[in-house]
């Protein structure tokens, strides 16, 4: 028989959940609405990308994620975590450089941007008291990418990143990368299409990367904020998750 857990009634916990819900909604706020215009334009350009690029995008994303998991982890012993604004600035500069050279340089820039995003997510995990070097937290960092991206046509309310945890093993990690890659590749395809636009490539690359970083940093703060709340309060994470989802969707 499934155990029925009591609902959350502590006013302090409910207040914390309200804060996380507002942060989640803010991730798709004014900045994302502006960048969403670029996303809409990029979506119409997506079919104009060379067929080999479109066909290989998912595989390239999967390889970028796998490489980012290694590179981001190794860099933690060399470079200290940076504040949010610096991560946004650095990724925007990367996007501008990638977009300036058109499609070829945008493709070359892609794995570096993914690594920067993952490193920023790992920094937020550490900020909330979790060890990014542990296998479990590495999986949780990767799971943040399962959320809707900043250039999605919907309102970004996909809550799959809040799904119940899977068993954490090596094969599970590879399986999660394979599951996240199609989702992320669709968003990265829009990024590439925007950067491939004549003249505006550098501007679009900077804007899209800025949006990506802002969005995933906010989603990471929701994700690890929820986990910290469960850890510190001793409340079942699943119960808190349900309460959070209810607040986000109402």
């Amino acid at each position: 028989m499934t155990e029925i857990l009591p609902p959350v009634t502590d006013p302090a916990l409910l207040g914390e959940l309200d804060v996380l819900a507002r942060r989640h909604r803010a991730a798709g706020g004014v900045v994302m609405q502006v960048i969403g215009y670029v996303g809409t334009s990029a979506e119409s350009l997506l079919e104009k990308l060379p067929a080999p690029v479109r066909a290989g995008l998912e595989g390239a994303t999967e390889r970028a994620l796998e490489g980012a998991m290694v590179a981001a982890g190794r860099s933690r012993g060399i470079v200290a975590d940076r504040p949010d604004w610096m991560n946004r600035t650095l990724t925007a500069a990367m996007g501008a450089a990638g977009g300036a050279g058109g499609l070829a340089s945008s493709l070359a820039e892609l794995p570096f941007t993914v690594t920067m995003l993952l490193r920023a997510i790992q920094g937020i995990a550490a900020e909330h008291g979790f060890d990014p070097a542990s296998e479990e937290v590495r999986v949780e960092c990767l799971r943040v990418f399962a959320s809707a991206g900043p250039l999605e046509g919907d309102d970004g309310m996909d809550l799959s990143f809040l799904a119940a945890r899977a068993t954490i093993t090596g094969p599970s990690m590879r399986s999660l990368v394979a599951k996240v890659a199609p989702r992320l590749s669709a968003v990265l395809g829009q990024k590439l299409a925007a950067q491939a636009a004549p003249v505006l490539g550098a501007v679009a690359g900077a804007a899209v990367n800025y949006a990506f970083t802002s969005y995933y940093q906010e989603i990471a703060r929701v994700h690890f904020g929820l986990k910290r709340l469960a850890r510190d309060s001793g409340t079942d994470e699943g119960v808190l998750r349900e309460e959070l989802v209810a607040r986000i969707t109402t």
Side-chain angles (χ1 to χ4, degrees), residues 68-117:
M69 293 293 290
V70 175
R74 287 178 177 173
S75 71
R76 295 192 58 79
I78 302 172
V79 181
D81 291 328
R82 295 172 289 263
D84 287 357
W85 70 266
M86 187 176 292
N87 286 323
R88 292 193 295 267
T89 300
L90 290 172
T91 53
M94 284 184 181
L103 184 58
S105 60
S106 294
L107 283 167
E109 168 250 325
L110 196 63
F112 294 100
T113 292
V114 173
T115 299
M116 284 288 294
L117 289 173

Side-chain angles (χ1 to χ4, degrees), residues 133-147:
S134 73
E135 186 79 352
E136 180 176 354
V137 177
R138 290 175 70 217
V139 168
E140 295 298 338
C141 289
L142 186 58
R143 185 171 282 120
V144 172
F145 281 126
S147 65

Side-chain angles (χ1 to χ4, degrees), residues 6-248:
V8 179
T9 57
D10 184 340
L13 281 179
L14 294 175
E16 293 271 11
L17 291 172
D18 286 335
V19 171
L20 292 178
R22 286 196 295 272
R23 185 180 285 278
H24 185 276
R25 286 192 291 268
V30 176
V31 173
M32 296 309 147
Q33 291 174 18
V34 173
I35 302 304
Y37 178 76
V38 177
T40 301
S41 300
E43 190 173 10
S44 66
L45 292 170
L46 196 55
E47 292 302 317
K48 296 182 180 181
L49 288 176
V53 173
R54 296 199 307 272
L57 190 56
E58 185 174 320
T61 301
E62 189 168 338
R63 290 191 295 276
L65 282 171
E66 290 173 344
M69 293 293 290
V70 175
R74 287 178 177 173
S75 71
R76 295 192 58 79
I78 302 172
V79 181
D81 291 328
R82 295 172 289 263
D84 287 357
W85 70 266
M86 187 176 292
N87 286 323
R88 292 193 295 267
T89 300
L90 290 172
T91 53
M94 284 184 181
L103 184 58
S105 60
S106 294
L107 283 167
E109 168 250 325
L110 196 63
F112 294 100
T113 292
V114 173
T115 299
M116 284 288 294
L117 289 173
L118 185 58
R119 176 59 198 273
I121 293 168
Q122 289 179 344
I124 290 170
E127 181 183 320
H128 284 75
F130 298 98
D131 180 10
S134 73
E135 186 79 352
E136 180 176 354
V137 177
R138 290 175 70 217
V139 168
E140 295 298 338
C141 289
L142 186 58
R143 185 171 282 120
V144 172
F145 281 126
S147 65
L151 301 185
E152 290 285 298
D154 57 26
D155 60 2
M157 297 302 288
D158 179 358
L159 304 177
S160 58
F161 76 101
L162 291 172
R165 294 184 300 175
T167 301
I168 309 303
T169 64
S172 178
M173 173 74 78
R174 290 193 294 272
S175 175
L176 185 57
V177 168
K179 290 178 180 177
V180 170
R183 177 75 169 187
L184 187 59
S185 68
V187 183
L188 293 180
Q190 293 176 315
K191 165 182 155 62
L192 288 175
Q195 291 180 213
V199 182
L200 296 177
V203 174
V208 171
N209 271 20
Y210 186 95
F212 267 46
T213 309
S214 298
Y215 180 86
Y216 286 116
Q217 282 175 332
E218 289 300 291
I219 293 300
R221 291 190 184 283
V222 174
H223 187 72
F224 289 104
L226 180 71
K227 295 182 71 60
R228 176 194 57 78
L229 198 59
R231 180 197 64 199
D232 294 350
S233 69
T235 307
D236 182 79
E237 186 178 331
V239 172
L240 290 178
R241 186 185 304 118
E242 291 177 2
E243 292 282 354
L244 176 59
V245 170
R247 280 161 169 72
I248 291 174

